[in-house]
């Protein structure tokens, strides 16, 4: 889902869950994992390219 001015998108069906503490925790986990995965790939690529 793409939305102008937003970093991530959420389906309309999930809107009622926005304030649910379990949903908040799950979304934080997803964002943390994606950030870790991004930096891990970037680090590995820089090692392969001999930049470190």
């Amino acid at each position: 889902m793409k939305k102008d001015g937003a970093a991530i998108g959420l389906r309309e069906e999930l809107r009622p869950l926005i304030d649910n503490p379990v949903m908040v925790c799950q979304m934080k986990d997803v964002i943390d994992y994606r950030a870790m995965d991004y930096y891990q790939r970037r680090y590995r690529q820089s090692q392969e390219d001999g930049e470190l």
Side-chain angles (χ1 to χ4, degrees):
M1 168 173 292
K2 187 169 181 153
K3 193 165 195 161
D4 291 335
I8 62 172
L10 189 67
R11 296 177 62 101
E12 284 298 318
E13 294 88 5
L14 297 174
R15 185 169 291 281
L17 299 173
I18 287 176
D19 294 324
N20 182 319
V22 174
M23 175 68 159
V24 171
C25 184
Q26 289 293 316
M27 289 303 293
K28 182 182 180 317
D29 284 347
V30 168
I31 292 167
D32 288 348
Y33 174 81
R34 290 190 68 176
M36 178 191 67
D37 183 57
Y38 168 79
Y39 286 110
Q40 185 177 54
R41 288 178 197 223
R42 190 171 151 187
Y43 175 75
R44 287 182 179 163
Q45 185 63 43
S46 69
Q47 281 187 325
E48 290 173 8
D49 294 344
E51 294 178 9
L52 288 179

